[in-house]
Amino acid sequence: MKWIKRALIALFALALLGIGAIVAAYLYVKPELPDVATLKTVKLQTPLQVFSQDGKLISQFGEKRRIPVSLDQVPKPLIQAIMATEDSRFYKHHGVDPIGIIRAAVVLAATGQKRQGASTITMQVARNFFLTRDKTYIRKVKEIFIAMHIEQLLTKDEILELYINRIYLGQRAYGFGAAAQVYYGKALKELTLAQQAMLAGLPKAPSSMNPITSPVRAIIRRNVVLNRMQAVGFITQAEYRQAIDSPITASYHGAEIGLYAPYISEMVRDYMVQKYGEEEAYTGGYDVYTTIDSRLQQLAQKALRDNVYAYDERHGYRGPATVLWTGKRPDDTSILAELAKVESINELEPAAVLKVESKQAEVMLTNGKTLTLPWDGLSWARSFITDMKQGPLPKNADQILKVGERIWVRKNRDIWQLAQVPEVSSAVVSLDPHNGAVRTLVGGFNFKQSQYNRITQAKRQLGSNIKPFIYAAALEKDYTLATMINNAPINEPDISQGIAWRPKNSPNFYGGPTRLRIGLAQSINVMSVRTMRHVGLDNTISKLEQFGFDAADLPRNESIALGSASVTPMQVAAAFGVFANGGYLVEPYYIDRVQDSEGKVIEKSHPTLACKPVADKTENAQLTDAGVVVGESEALAQHESEMTQLEQETKALASCDAPDSRHAKQIISEQNAFLITDTLKSVIWGGGNWSKGTGWNGTAWRAARVVKRHDIAGKTGTTNESRDTWFSGYTPDLVSTFWVGFDDHSRKLGRTSWRANGPKDQISGAESGAKTAGPGWNEFMRNALEGTPEHQITPPDGIISVRIDRATGKLTHKTDYTTRFEYFVDGTQPRDYATDHQSDTELFNDTPVSDDLFQ
C-alpha cells in the first residue's frame, strides 16, 4: 500500500508543479497579452471598391481580397468540413482541446512526426489576430491563454464567424467568402460539396496546397477533408463518392469588374487616399458609388476608340511592331512564346504574319488560332510619311505586310483587320447639366499606356469652342442674333504682345456684313474678334471667368476671341452646360456617396442645382403648377412625351425647393442661354433655303446626318495648325465634350489627301473639330440618345419671334425665302424695316473699328 500512497503523493506533486508552471507561464506572458476585448469591435481589412451609379463594380483597391460573410450565409456542409478538418470538438472545449493535445502528442511520440495538429479554431483566431506565425514555445503559450480569454468574451458562433472571415486561403484571399470568388468565381452558397471541401482544406497550407498552383496536392488534401466528413457522419457514402470523383474546377478569378472605367476609378482612389490615408482607404471596406452611368460610359469609350482608330488609319500605316523572323519559319511554339510577351491593348491583339497572298494575309494570334485578314481589312493601309502626307493606296497585300512581322489586328464589325497602336490622344466627358453629375469620363485611349487623365489634367487651347461664350457676352451687352457684324479682313492688328496679330478666316473667305447667327454657326473668325472688341477685352475675360475658366489661363489679348485660352475638357463641359440648363454654372462632381464596411452612408454628394432658390421663383412655380392643370385637359393625350418632360421638370423643381438645396450661380439669363442654344443648333442644321440657293451649312453639319435630332446643339473647335480639335454639344439633359490631339503640344494633327479610289469614309483635307473630334461626339450622342424622345423646346418668357430680312437683319414686310423668323429678347428686336437700297454703313450697330469695312 505504501507504493500507492507514494504514487498519489508524486502525482499530486506533479499536479502542483503543473499548475505552478501554468501560473508562472501566465504571469510571465501576461504583460504581453493583448486586450481580446478589441475583437468585439474588430474591423476586417476589406478592400476599397468603386461602383457605377447603377451598381456595377468598376475597380477594387487593396492587396487583400476579402468578402465578409455572416455565419448564416455560410453553407452548413462548409462549416462541417471546417470543423471535421480543423477542430471537430470546437463546440465542446473552452478554447484549448486537451484531448486534441494528447492525441497530437501520442502521434508525435509514436511516429516522430507532427501529423496531428493541436491548434483549435479559437487558437487560430488568436494567432491570426494577435500573434506572429513564429514557431516558438512562448508564442504557443500566448496563443493558449489568448484563446481562453476569447472563449470567455465571445460566443462560439462569433468565434467561428471571425475565423471564416479572417483565415488566409491563398491567392491573396482572406476568408472563405473571398476564396469562393477567387477560386471559383461564385458566392459560397453556389459551391458544390467538392468545392467546399477544397476550400476547407486550404488553411493547413494555403500556398502549397491550393488548386491553382498545386492541383495534385490540393486534390489529395480535398479528399482527406471528405474522408473526415464521412467518418464523423456529416456526409453519406454516396455523397462522398460523388465528391471524391469530381475533377478540379478551380481557376483564378479576379474581382468581378462589371464596368471598365479606370480613369474615374483612379480619381476615386486618389480622393479616398487623400481624405482617409492609404492604409485606411485600402483596408477600411469602403464602397464608393460614382455618378457614372455604365451604359453611357461604355458608349463613350467605344466612340472614342472608334474615332481614334479612324483618325489613325486615314493618316497611314506606320509599319509592323517588329520582325519576329526572316527566312525559315520557326515552329508554332516559338512563335507563340514571342507573342505571349506582348499584352493586348483594348481591342488590339498582337499577331504574327504567316502568309501573304495577293489580296489577303494569314496571321496567328496569341491563342494559337490562325485567321485571314481580307482585303477590306488591309486596303486602308497606305504608308504613313508624315502627319501631313500619306503614300498611294496599296494595290496588293504584299505592299503592306511581310511574312515574319509582328503586327496588331482588331475585330471590326464582322471582319478582322490590320491595325496599329494609335499615337494620337483623345478624351471625352459628359455631364448632367442640371446638377453637374459626371455621367461619362474617358481620360485617354488606354489607361495602361498612360495614366494621364486628359479630362482633368490636360489644359489645351480651346479654339473656336470659345466663341459661344464670346457671343453670350455680346448678347448680354446689346447684340442680337440679327446684329450685322463685318465679315471682312482686319487691318488694325493687335500689338499687345509686341507682335502684329492679324486674324484670318478659315477658309480665307470674307462675305461682308453678316448676321451674328451665321457668324457663330459658321465659326467666322474675324466676326468673333470684332464681337470681342465690342464687348471689351476686360469684360470678355470677366465673363469667361464666370463660365468657370481660370483667370490665369486667359491671355489678356485679342487672340482670346479665337480660343488661345488653355483649359481642361471638364471645364469646357461645365461651361457648355450653362447653355443647356438655362444659364447656371453647376459644379461637376463624380462621387454620389461613400459607404463604410457596414453599408452606412458616411458621405453623400450635395450638388449644385441649376435652378433658383425658392424665394426667387415663387411666381414661376405658380405658373408651372397652372400649366400642369391646363395640360391635363387639353394636351396629355396628344403630347405624352411633353408631359413626361413636364413631370421631370416638376420633380426637379421639388428637389430645388428642398431646404438644404445648393443652388448654382446663374451667370447668364435664361433668355441668353436660349438664344445661344438656338444658334448652336444652326451649327448643326444650318439655315437658309437650299431650293432657292440661299441655304448654308453650319460647321457641324455631319451631326445632323448622324444623330438626326433637332434637340441637339453644339460647337466645333480647332486651334492654330490643328494642334487641338474639339466638339462640345448637348441636349437639355446631357452635355458632352470630345477632344482629340497629341500629348506633344508641338505636334500637329495634320491633314489627309483625298484619293478618288479611297475608302468611302475617307475624310480629306486638314484635321479640324468637325472632322476629327466631331465624329466621336456624333457616334456617342446618337447611341446615348437612342430610344429617348426629342425634347420639345419652347422659348422662355421674354423671348419673341419676328420676321427679319436675311440680308440686313432688319424687319421686313416680305414673306418669301429672303426672310426668316428670328428670336429676340423682347425689347431688343429691330425697329427699322429693310429697304431695297440699303447702304452698307447702315447695316452695322457694332463698335466701329478703324479698318476699312470692305478692304
Side-chain angles (χ1 to χ4, degrees):
M1 295 295 293
K2 288 183 179 181
W3 69 270
I4 295 177
K5 183 177 180 181
R6 290 174 182 170
L8 290 173
I9 292 172
L11 288 172
F12 181 71
L14 287 172
L16 287 176
L17 285 173
I19 293 172
I22 292 172
V23 172
Y26 177 72
L27 292 175
Y28 179 78
V29 300
K30 182 179 179 181
E32 300 178 21
L33 294 181
D35 181 7
V36 298
T38 58
L39 290 176
K40 279 285 189 180
T41 56
V42 69
K43 189 175 181 180
L44 297 174
Q45 293 183 328
T46 307
L48 166 68
Q49 292 189 313
V50 183
F51 296 89
S52 65
Q53 181 192 40
D54 45 342
K56 293 188 176 181
L57 180 63
I58 295 176
S59 190
Q60 180 171 283
F61 297 97
E63 291 186 7
K64 296 182 178 180
R65 296 281 300 277
R66 197 189 305 274
I67 304 175
V69 294
S70 59
L71 198 59
D72 58 7
Q73 293 176 306
V74 183
K76 185 177 179 180
L78 178 56
I79 294 175
Q80 292 172 335
I82 293 169
M83 293 178 61
T85 309
E86 298 296 323
D87 190 356
S88 61
R89 288 173 36 80
F90 174 68
Y91 281 99
K92 297 178 181 179
H93 61 66
H94 298 286
V96 180
D97 185 8
I99 295 177
I101 293 174
I102 293 172
R103 184 169 59 242
V106 170
V107 171
L108 179 62
T111 65
Q113 296 179 346
K114 188 180 178 183
R115 295 181 177 177
Q116 186 75 45
S119 291
T120 64
I121 286 176
T122 311
M123 291 169 68
Q124 292 184 57
V125 169
R127 181 170 66 243
N128 288 330
F129 275 93
F130 300 113
L131 301 172
T132 68
R133 300 188 70 87
D134 296 337
K135 295 184 178 181
T136 63
Y137 289 109
I138 289 297
R139 194 219 70 187
K140 200 67 176 178
V141 171
K142 292 179 181 178
E143 187 177 302
I144 291 171
F145 287 125
I146 294 172
M148 295 171 67
H149 280 204
I150 292 173
E151 290 276 347
Q152 294 171 352
L153 180 70
L154 303 178
T155 67
K156 287 288 187 178
D157 285 352
E158 288 173 332
I159 295 170
L160 184 58
E161 187 172 300
L162 282 174
Y163 174 83
I164 286 171
N165 285 305
R166 180 79 178 195
I167 192 72
Y168 178 61
L169 298 172
Q171 300 294 325
R172 293 169 53 193
Y174 288 79
F176 284 87
Q181 175 60 46
V182 168
Y183 290 106
Y184 299 107
K186 300 178 181 179
L188 282 174
K189 63 182 180 180
E190 298 172 324
L191 299 181
T192 65
L193 175 60
Q195 292 169 338
Q196 293 177 39
M198 181 69 76
L199 297 186
L202 287 173
K204 181 177 181 180
S207 297
S208 61
M209 289 188 176
N210 82 66
I212 294 176
T213 59
S214 303
V216 175
R217 298 185 67 184
I219 203 165
I220 293 173
R221 179 62 179 166
R222 181 202 69 180
N223 293 346
V224 169
V225 174
L226 291 168
N227 186 56
R228 290 181 183 174
M229 292 181 72
Q230 185 197 21
V232 296
F234 287 151
I235 58 175
T236 66
Q237 176 68 20
E239 290 173 323
Y240 170 77
R241 292 308 319 170
Q242 182 180 4
I244 210 167
D245 290 337
S246 299
I248 288 183
T249 57
S251 61
Y252 182 78
H253 295 76
E256 288 189 38
I257 302 300
L259 175 67
Y260 182 71
Y263 289 97
I264 194 71
S265 63
E266 176 59 22
M267 291 171 66
V268 171
R269 185 204 66 80
D270 184 64
Y271 168 82
M272 294 296 289
V273 169
Q274 292 294 325
K275 181 157 188 177
Y276 297 98
E278 186 170 303
E279 177 68 20
E280 175 64 13
Y282 289 169
T283 64
Y286 297 105
D287 289 340
V288 182
Y289 285 83
T290 68
T291 58
I292 294 295
D293 182 301
S294 63
R295 184 184 75 89
L296 295 182
Q297 177 71 17
Q298 290 172 324
L299 293 176
Q301 288 173 167
K302 184 178 185 304
L304 181 145
R305 292 174 186 174
D306 288 347
N307 192 48
V308 167
Y309 289 139
Y311 167 88
D312 192 65
E313 290 173 8
R314 66 176 173 261
H315 280 264
Y317 181 53
R318 294 185 294 276
T322 189
V323 177
L324 298 179
W325 76 87
T326 58
K328 183 179 178 182
R329 169 181 164 177
D331 58 63
D332 288 356
T333 301
S334 300
I335 296 173
L336 291 174
E338 288 298 318
L339 292 177
K341 297 177 182 178
V342 185
E343 291 187 9
S344 60
I345 300 175
N346 296 345
E347 300 85 1
L348 304 179
E349 295 190 30
V353 180
L354 303 181
K355 182 190 299 184
V356 179
E357 299 178 1
S358 175
K359 297 291 184 180
Q360 64 183 32
E362 183 181 300
V363 300
M364 177 184 289
L365 302 182
T366 54
N367 59 6
K369 178 182 178 182
T370 60
L371 54 85
T372 298
L373 304 181
W375 184 242
D376 284 347
L378 296 170
S379 58
W380 66 268
R382 53 182 177 166
S383 60
F384 170 88
I385 300 174
T386 69
D387 291 318
M388 304 293 290
K389 186 177 181 181
Q390 304 81 42
L393 286 169
K395 298 180 179 180
N396 296 294
D398 60 7
Q399 294 178 308
I400 306 167
L401 300 176
K402 297 290 185 290
V403 171
E405 293 177 340
R406 179 171 67 75
I407 61 172
W408 294 95
V409 297
R410 68 183 178 99
K411 187 75 175 289
N412 185 7
R413 299 182 179 89
D414 298 327
I415 67 168
W416 283 89
Q417 72 161 74
L418 174 66
Q420 58 191 355
V421 180
E423 295 179 350
V424 74
S425 296
S426 185
V428 55
V429 62
S430 306
L431 306 177
D432 182 336
H434 302 298
N435 58 17
V438 177
R439 297 305 183 203
T440 74
L441 190 148
V442 188
F445 174 76
N446 181 272
F447 185 76
K448 290 182 179 179
Q449 282 185 302
S450 171
Q451 289 79 50
Y452 183 52
N453 189 340
R454 295 154 187 85
I455 293 298
T456 59
Q457 296 175 303
K459 289 192 173 184
R460 305 297 298 233
Q461 286 195 336
L462 188 53
S464 295
N465 242 204
I466 205 170
K467 291 176 181 176
F469 313 117
I470 304 293
Y471 285 107
L475 293 180
E476 197 170 72
K477 185 174 183 179
D478 57 7
Y479 271 12
T480 72
L481 299 187
T483 295
M484 303 299 291
I485 304 170
N486 195 14
N487 177 12
I490 291 178
N491 292 319
E492 182 182 80
D494 175 22
I495 58 173
S496 60
Q497 299 300 305
I499 58 174
W501 180 72
R502 285 186 171 89
K504 297 180 179 180
N505 286 344
S506 179
N508 195 22
F509 171 80
Y510 303 87
T514 305
R515 283 178 289 121
L516 184 152
R517 175 185 286 274
I518 298 176
L520 178 53
Q522 295 189 333
S523 200
I524 299 173
N525 287 342
V526 295
M527 291 179 65
S528 180
V529 175
R530 285 191 167 93
T531 299
M532 185 276 301
R533 287 180 173 181
H534 176 74
V535 175
L537 180 59
D538 289 342
N539 290 336
T540 298
I541 290 175
S542 176
K543 179 54 67 175
L544 290 171
E545 289 179 38
Q546 291 180 36
F547 273 100
F549 300 118
D550 296 332
D553 298 325
L554 303 175
R556 302 193 68 82
N557 57 71
E558 290 188 349
S559 68
I560 198 171
L562 303 185
S564 60
S566 295
V567 298
T568 67
M570 183 72 84
Q571 291 174 311
V572 177
F576 271 86
V578 173
F579 302 129
N581 64 31
Y584 299 87
L585 181 65
V586 295
E587 299 172 7
Y589 73 102
Y590 56 92
I591 294 178
D592 177 67
R593 66 187 184 277
V594 179
Q595 296 178 185
D596 63 16
S597 58
E598 297 179 353
K600 179 182 177 182
V601 176
I602 59 173
E603 288 187 46
K604 185 74 178 72
S605 63
H606 197 195
T608 53
L609 304 177
C611 53
K612 293 180 180 179
V614 179
D616 295 343
K617 63 178 185 195
T618 304
E619 182 179 350
N620 289 340
Q622 291 172 348
L623 290 172
T624 300
D625 291 341
V628 173
V629 174
V630 172
E632 287 177 357
S633 62
E634 297 180 5
L636 275 178
Q638 299 178 10
H639 302 288
E640 184 176 321
S641 63
E642 292 181 23
M643 188 60 211
T644 300
Q645 182 180 344
L646 185 56
E647 289 171 351
Q648 292 173 349
E649 292 171 354
T650 303
K651 184 178 179 180
L653 282 173
S655 64
C656 234
D657 287 344
D660 61 343
S661 292
R662 293 176 63 215
H663 299 93
K665 182 179 180 180
Q666 187 167 19
I667 63 170
I668 60 174
S669 69
E670 184 179 6
Q671 293 76 20
N672 190 327
F674 171 82
L675 293 176
I676 293 294
T677 294
D678 197 68
T679 306
L680 294 182
K681 289 182 181 180
S682 296
V683 173
I684 295 171
W685 288 99
N689 188 317
W690 289 97
S691 64
K692 300 295 183 180
T694 62
W696 51 270
N697 279 323
T699 57
W701 54 269
R702 293 179 182 85
R705 298 183 181 183
V706 176
V707 187
K708 299 177 182 178
R709 293 173 66 105
H710 288 271
D711 58 350
I712 56 173
K715 182 69 185 76
T716 54
T718 312
T719 63
N720 269 352
E721 299 180 306
S722 299
R723 285 184 170 88
D724 296 278
T725 59
W726 301 78
F727 194 93
S728 300
Y730 54 90
T731 69
D733 293 328
L734 187 67
V735 54
S736 298
T737 288
F738 264 75
W739 168 84
V740 180
F742 287 102
D743 288 333
D744 177 358
H745 289 237
S746 65
R747 187 171 176 182
K748 306 171 187 177
L749 287 165
R751 63 185 298 114
T752 56
S753 55
W754 175 256
R755 300 287 177 176
N757 60 338
K760 293 180 180 179
D761 59 352
Q762 179 69 55
I763 300 176
S764 62
E767 299 291 344
S768 65
K771 298 174 183 178
T772 314
W777 188 92
N778 297 345
E779 178 187 334
F780 169 68
M781 292 298 277
R782 177 191 63 200
N783 296 325
L785 300 175
E786 185 177 6
T788 62
E790 285 194 29
H791 286 266
Q792 304 300 317
I793 299 174
T794 56
D797 292 341
I799 291 290
I800 64 170
S801 176
V802 300
R803 188 182 289 275
I804 64 167
D805 176 59
R806 292 180 184 274
T808 65
K810 295 188 175 184
L811 297 176
T812 181
H813 294 293
K814 297 180 179 179
T815 59
D816 59 16
Y817 66 91
T818 64
T819 70
R820 65 157 288 159
F821 281 101
E822 186 58 276
Y823 290 113
F824 297 88
V825 175
D826 194 7
T828 67
Q829 63 270 28
R831 302 299 180 187
D832 299 329
Y833 282 84
T835 64
D836 292 335
H837 302 286
Q838 196 82 45
S839 68
D840 295 330
T841 55
E842 292 178 308
L843 298 181
F844 300 98
N845 63 359
D846 56 337
T847 303
V849 292
S850 61
D851 54 306
D852 185 90
L853 292 179
F854 299 101
Q855 186 173 1

